Amino acid sequence: IGETGIGQIRRDAKPYFRRLAQHAKANRAMHSYHQDTAMDNDTIDQIIDKHEGRAGSLIHVLMEIQSKNHWIPREALLKVSQKLGVPFTRVMQIATFYKTFSLTPQGHHEVHVCTGTSCHIRGSQRVLDKIQSLLGIRAGETDSNSKFSLAKGNCLGCCTLGPEIVVDGRHYARMTPEKAEEVLKKYN
């Protein structure tokens, strides 16, 4: 490869290495953040006790842990298994089956963009592109300071009002890239 070829390879590789560095920085920040905010055993015990330690309340217990912590750490799953007397494999089946549960750290604000057929036809890809640009992350990622997580889904339940986004459970209909930017400003 001549001098021109090597220079081209370096130019082509820059975005890749820049993105790699951003991911490394985000992972370090997220690890540090979640060490400080990890759920303690007392909180998990309180949630389980509130449901009277019934094995039948497994989903409710996991939902409450998810709600308070924005994700469910493995240590919490083990504790729930022990306290409810439910085999760990069953707890994992439930936690991995339902999309409600996350086994990886999530941001404080969860942004979901509908990409189902109805919303797609109405421009949800432009909305998603704008949100990705504003947050500096792609769907399935969490930003470096654990403020936002971004997800996309096939249908969020309001097909006649699309494109739609949901932020922390609140639905926003008839989104445009400009409206999406205004919505996200409320959460900064």
Side-chain angles (χ1 to χ4, degrees):
I1 297 177
E3 190 65 37
T4 306
I6 291 174
Q8 183 62 41
I9 290 171
R10 284 184 183 145
R11 281 190 295 283
D12 291 346
K14 274 186 182 179
Y16 169 77
F17 286 113
R18 189 176 310 120
R19 186 115 175 108
L20 196 60
Q22 288 171 343
H23 280 292
K25 180 179 177 185
N27 285 338
R28 282 192 304 274
M30 196 179 313
H31 179 71
S32 165
Y33 170 81
H34 287 288
Q35 275 184 328
D36 297 339
T37 60
M39 235 177 172
D40 61 39
N41 284 331
D42 290 339
T43 304
I44 296 169
D45 286 341
Q46 289 172 2
I47 292 169
I48 293 169
D49 291 345
K50 186 168 90 175
H51 293 278
E52 298 173 358
R54 293 185 323 265
S57 63
L58 173 62
I59 291 176
H60 295 287
V61 169
L62 294 177
M63 287 176 74
E64 196 164 333
I65 292 170
Q66 173 78 33
S67 175
K68 289 186 182 296
N69 204 46
H70 299 285
W71 71 295
I72 307 175
R74 180 178 175 82
E75 296 76 24
L77 293 170
L78 287 166
K79 179 90 169 169
V80 167
S81 171
Q82 291 171 335
K83 294 281 286 187
L84 294 181
V86 176
F88 183 70
T89 54
R90 181 68 181 145
V91 174
M92 285 300 293
Q93 284 175 335
I94 297 296
T96 56
F97 178 78
Y98 293 104
K99 289 207 173 254
T100 274
F101 304 125
S102 174
L103 303 182
T104 58
Q106 298 294 304
H108 184 69
H109 299 292
E110 296 180 30
V111 181
H112 297 265
V113 179
C114 181
T115 55
T117 305
S118 182
C119 287
H120 179 74
I121 290 170
R122 292 184 174 118
S124 67
Q125 187 59 51
R126 290 190 318 270
V127 173
L128 178 61
D129 291 342
K130 180 67 172 185
I131 291 172
Q132 288 179 150
S133 172
L134 290 168
L135 299 180
I137 57 174
R138 295 178 135 352
E141 296 179 347
T142 299
D143 65 1
S144 62
N145 61 1
S146 295
K147 189 167 189 174
F148 289 99
S149 289
L150 178 60
K152 62 181 182 175
N154 287 335
C155 184
L156 300 178
C158 294
C159 296
T160 60
L161 301 175
E164 176 191 27
I165 67 171
V166 178
V167 183
D168 295 341
R170 183 164 180 203
H171 292 252
Y172 295 91
R174 295 188 173 84
M175 282 289 106
T176 63
E178 296 76 25
K179 284 183 181 178
E181 184 172 3
E182 290 302 313
V183 167
L184 291 179
K185 284 181 182 176
K186 296 177 186 178
Y187 296 91
N188 272 328

